[in-house]
Amino acid sequence: MTVARRVFFSLPFVAVLPRLARADWPDRPIRILVAFPPGAATDVLCRALAVPLTAALGQPVVVENRPGAGGNIATVAVRRAPPDGTAFLAHSVAYAVNPGLYRNAGYEAADLEPVALLASTPNVITVNPEHLPVRTLAELLSAARSRPLDYGSSGTGTTTHLGMEVLLRTRAGADVQHVPFGPAQAITAVAGGQVPIASTSLPPALPLIREGRLRAVAVTSAARDPALPEVPTVAESGYPGFEALTWFAVFAPPGTPPPVSDRMNAEINRALASPEMKARLDALGFVTAPMDRPAFAGYLRREVATWADAVRASGATAD
């Protein structure tokens, strides 16, 4: 009886040992699995952060690209990873969209631990000024109502696609044909005259806008973007309340000890707040608004609900 009681009372303490033993974290190299290929916005952000994180954490922070299935391959890999602080996921807003977009994304948005919001960027609606010589969103919508037009996006089920469906079809009543590309490919297609309109996140479009090869008619953030202060928002252009952002964030495997995720959040936010990093990201069209973990978790829940509604309304599916 005495032995049995000793075993019974020891089990709860054994169960929490992995969590309590993380005071020495990190004691090994850290991998950040990026859900997209090299050069994508998520990848650019992670590689910019890897250097200050390595210095702050005292262990190498290695960025590993694991693209495929709209980000689901990397997400599932991190969901299955040991919760020991050696593996994290870097993803975009697609993390919130995919569970509603795929019949089986391999995860639910609540599965992983939200760690930190890295940055966001508005989506930007651009045109090829030679093929569609409009200057405002109102002129673009007038053209779309008068004749069939195509628009390219960063891909089916992205906010660049779903946001345009809500804006053009639901709110503006314009019948347009969606052509899915990738972010860079959509920009190239518009610049090359394959499609007259593009909806992408801002960073890949910004160089061609500055060169005059693309014309930005509206951004989808609530306020004008500092990188394009002369370009009005969709809300300013006659559609109040409209907002569609592409954001980027870091997640941890389920069961990761809170002290690990809290420290990672703090170090990421510290790196993002440095003047050098802020200037670098501002120039690329990223907006940083660091959040603690509870604030980011609340933001994520709202985004999951918003984009689940948009997926249902659009009928979009990735299967």
Side-chain angles (χ1 to χ4, degrees), residues 113-174:
E113 304 283 351
V115 174
L117 181 69
L118 301 181
S120 65
T121 177
N123 299 330
V124 60
I125 302 169
T126 57
V127 298
N128 182 317
E130 294 184 1
H131 291 79
L132 187 61
V134 300
R135 294 187 173 274
T136 66
L137 181 61
E139 290 176 359
L140 184 154
L141 293 173
S142 177
R145 293 188 188 104
S146 67
R147 64 186 187 277
L149 287 175
D150 298 338
Y151 77 92
S153 81
S154 301
T156 299
T158 61
T159 63
T160 63
H161 165 221
L162 298 174
M164 284 289 273
E165 292 295 302
V166 170
L167 172 62
L168 297 180
R169 294 184 189 279
T170 305
R171 297 193 64 174

Side-chain angles (χ1 to χ4, degrees), residues 1-10:
M1 177 66 72
T2 302
V3 172
R5 289 186 60 169
R6 283 177 180 168
V7 171
F8 176 78
F9 284 116
S10 69

Side-chain angles (χ1 to χ4, degrees), residues 30-54 61-65 88-92 116-119 248-251 264 268 271-272 277 280-281 284 286:
I30 297 162
R31 293 184 305 146
I32 299 181
L33 273 64
V34 176
F36 303 103
T42 315
D43 177 72
V44 170
L45 279 166
C46 281
R47 292 186 187 278
L49 285 168
V51 173
L53 288 178
T54 293
V61 175
V62 180
V63 176
E64 179 181 324
N65 298 91
F88 293 86
L89 170 70
H91 211 317
S92 72
L117 181 69
L118 301 181
F248 312 92
V250 169
F251 302 85
M264 192 65 160
I268 287 173
L272 290 172
M277 183 67 71
R280 180 176 179 182
L281 298 184
L284 293 172
F286 293 109

Side-chain angles (χ1 to χ4, degrees), residues 9-307:
F9 284 116
S10 69
L11 285 176
F13 295 96
V14 171
V16 299
L17 277 177
R19 290 182 178 269
L20 297 178
R22 300 317 305 153
D24 62 343
W25 183 85
D27 56 355
R28 284 171 286 172
I30 297 162
R31 293 184 305 146
I32 299 181
L33 273 64
V34 176
F36 303 103
T42 315
D43 177 72
V44 170
L45 279 166
C46 281
R47 292 186 187 278
L49 285 168
V51 173
L53 288 178
T54 293
L57 295 170
Q59 291 288 340
V61 175
V62 180
V63 176
E64 179 181 324
N65 298 91
R66 194 77 65 88
N72 294 343
I73 289 176
T75 305
V76 171
V78 174
R79 182 176 64 80
R80 294 173 176 169
D84 59 4
T86 60
F88 293 86
L89 170 70
H91 211 317
S92 72
V93 63
Y95 177 89
V97 174
N98 287 356
L101 187 68
Y102 289 78
R103 279 196 294 267
N104 181 14
Y107 73 98
E108 295 297 330
D111 286 350
L112 277 71
E113 304 283 351
V115 174
L117 181 69
L118 301 181
S120 65
T121 177
N123 299 330
V124 60
I125 302 169
T126 57
V127 298
N128 182 317
E130 294 184 1
H131 291 79
L132 187 61
V134 300
R135 294 187 173 274
T136 66
L137 181 61
E139 290 176 359
L140 184 154
L141 293 173
S142 177
R145 293 188 188 104
S146 67
R147 64 186 187 277
L149 287 175
D150 298 338
Y151 77 92
S153 81
S154 301
T156 299
T158 61
T159 63
T160 63
H161 165 221
L162 298 174
M164 284 289 273
E165 292 295 302
V166 170
L167 172 62
L168 297 180
R169 294 184 189 279
T170 305
R171 297 193 64 174
D175 187 15
V176 288
Q177 181 64 42
H178 174 232
V179 184
F181 293 94
Q185 293 88 345
I187 292 302
T188 302
V190 175
Q194 293 174 255
V195 291
I197 307 165
S199 170
T200 67
S201 60
L202 179 56
L206 197 53
L208 273 68
I209 294 170
R210 287 171 171 163
E211 292 171 11
R213 296 174 61 191
L214 296 181
R215 177 177 294 146
V217 298
V219 293
T220 62
S221 46
R224 295 192 183 199
D225 191 88
L228 293 174
E230 73 284 359
V231 178
T233 67
V234 170
E236 286 180 282
S237 303
Y239 298 89
F242 185 91
E243 184 177 22
L245 301 179
T246 295
W247 49 259
F248 312 92
V250 169
F251 302 85
T256 298
V260 170
S261 295
D262 288 342
R263 173 136 188 236
M264 192 65 160
N265 171 275
E267 297 299 353
I268 287 173
N269 287 347
R270 188 173 291 113
L272 290 172
S274 75
E276 297 81 8
M277 183 67 71
K278 193 172 186 312
R280 180 176 179 182
L281 298 184
D282 284 351
L284 293 172
F286 293 109
V287 176
T288 57
M291 300 180 184
D292 62 20
R293 289 184 61 232
F296 175 43
Y299 177 77
L300 178 63
R301 286 192 296 271
R302 294 189 295 273
E303 284 289 282
V304 170
T306 294
W307 294 114

